[in-house]
Amino acid sequence: MDVVGETEHLGKDGESIYAVRFFEDIAYVVTYQQVEPFIIVDMSDLTDPKAVGELEVPGFSTYLHPIEIDGNPYVLSIGEEWNFTSWWSSSSSKLTLFDVSNPSAPLIAAEFHESNTYTQAMYDFQAIRWLPESKLLILPKSNGYNYYGNHGADSFQGFVVYEIGVNEVKPLYNLTHNDTNCWYEASIAGRSFVFDSNITTIFGHTVISTDLKSGEKSWEFDLDNGLNYTCSYDYSYNYRYNYNYGNEYEYDHIHEEDALDSANVNIYNYDDAISPSDDVN
């Protein structure tokens, strides 16, 4: 194919393009290194595409979805934001609503952050369900381990229904597919469908039907029924970093039944460090 036009360099040196979405004669582009320039490119003249607007925000987006609210154009982005301000970096999933009614001056209309979570929708657009009439967004969500050992009570695999407004991105309710440590080795990617005001969601090992308005579960089908389950370890996994000339670390392995009195603590040299999947007694 012949090149008919190209933009100037987008973003800063060293940044990579993480997301692009073409919509009519506009291209929305996200580049990233440690901040995310959200760039609007005018494509009306294909021989001379030009960046006409840019907004720098923390984190990055991997999926961009043009939507309309009250007749005005917006772009809904799905991504992550990393915190590099301390010795321990951490991430949070991020939903951002960009107001692109003025292409030369895009604005953040609303944001929602949730720490220590991951959404499959970042890299799988088929996991996303946008309902333009009701302005609802349905996304799969997973969370579990973090370095504080918050596994168990905080473990979640399922979907979240968000209400998208001009000034707010608000989670309405969760659709829980799995909150235990047991599963069959086969699993299904997160998908959601809406029929007659009911959400049918498929994720991991279960199929669930939920009333869209109330969030109440109608029925659930376990795809693992009758199969042999695998269960992960039943203890919290805590990291406490103790730098001894940069060579040694401390690892705490505290079984859940011993968590209150912290009686079961083992110290490991860095060379002997074990992974969270190993069995510890």
Side-chain angles (χ1 to χ4, degrees):
M1 293 187 292
D2 295 329
V3 176
V4 297
E6 62 181 83
T7 66
E8 296 180 350
H9 182 81
L10 298 178
K12 296 180 174 61
D13 291 340
E15 293 179 340
S16 301
I17 292 178
Y18 268 56
V20 178
R21 188 66 184 260
F22 298 98
F23 187 71
E24 296 180 349
D25 58 357
I26 292 290
Y28 302 106
V29 183
V30 168
T31 63
Y32 175 72
Q33 191 172 43
Q34 286 195 10
V35 295
E36 168 192 322
F38 174 75
I39 303 167
I40 298 180
V41 179
D42 183 352
M43 304 280 291
S44 56
D45 182 358
L46 295 180
T47 65
D48 188 24
K50 294 179 179 178
V52 295
E54 181 174 329
L55 178 65
E56 283 196 356
V57 295
F60 64 92
S61 302
T62 58
Y63 181 79
L64 303 172
H65 194 82
I67 66 173
E68 188 176 283
I69 302 177
D70 298 331
N72 297 314
Y74 293 85
V75 172
L76 185 62
S77 78
I78 301 170
E80 283 186 351
E81 183 173 330
W82 284 84
N83 176 16
F84 296 100
T85 59
S86 63
W87 62 272
W88 183 276
S89 61
S90 61
S91 68
S92 61
S93 61
K94 180 178 70 166
L95 298 176
T96 306
L97 184 67
F98 292 101
D99 181 346
V100 294
S101 56
N102 182 359
S104 64
L107 301 171
I108 294 177
E111 279 187 303
F112 179 79
H113 299 253
E114 188 169 7
S115 62
N116 300 307
T117 63
Y118 170 79
T119 176
Q120 172 189 333
M122 285 183 58
Y123 301 102
D124 181 0
F125 73 92
Q126 292 180 321
I128 299 164
R129 181 67 55 194
W130 166 248
L131 305 179
E133 296 298 324
S134 55
K135 303 297 185 288
L136 297 180
L137 177 70
I138 306 171
L139 295 179
K141 184 184 84 168
S142 302
N143 67 357
Y145 306 107
N146 61 36
Y147 78 100
Y148 291 114
N150 293 336
H151 183 71
D154 293 336
S155 179
F156 175 84
Q157 183 186 65
F159 287 80
V160 183
V161 177
Y162 300 90
E163 184 177 52
I164 308 299
V166 172
N167 300 310
E168 185 178 25
V169 175
K170 180 173 67 175
L172 295 181
Y173 51 83
N174 289 348
L175 308 175
T176 302
H177 278 252
N178 184 24
D179 57 4
T180 71
N181 303 336
C182 299
W183 63 89
Y184 185 66
E185 60 182 5
S187 64
I188 298 177
R191 296 291 185 265
S192 61
F193 312 91
V194 178
F195 304 101
D196 296 330
S197 299
N198 288 298
I199 312 171
T200 300
T201 51
I202 306 171
F203 197 4
H205 314 273
T206 53
V207 182
I208 295 175
S209 178
T210 306
D211 182 85
L212 178 63
K213 185 176 182 180
S214 67
E216 294 182 1
K217 184 190 297 184
S218 302
W219 53 263
E220 178 176 352
F221 179 71
D222 184 359
L223 299 173
D224 290 353
N225 188 31
L227 301 175
N228 292 325
Y229 284 81
T230 297
C231 293
S232 67
Y233 63 94
D234 61 351
Y235 57 87
S236 298
Y237 191 80
N238 293 332
Y239 297 86
R240 288 189 298 111
Y241 283 81
N242 177 23
Y243 288 91
N244 295 323
Y245 304 103
N247 295 320
E248 293 183 357
Y249 300 86
E250 289 185 356
Y251 293 84
D252 290 357
H253 303 278
I254 305 175
H255 287 70
E256 289 179 354
E257 60 268 24
D258 298 326
L260 293 178
D261 58 14
S262 300
N264 192 353
V265 177
N266 298 317
I267 305 299
Y268 293 86
N269 182 276
Y270 177 78
D271 293 333
D272 299 324
I274 64 171
S275 70
S277 61
D278 291 333
D279 187 19
V280 176
N281 296 311

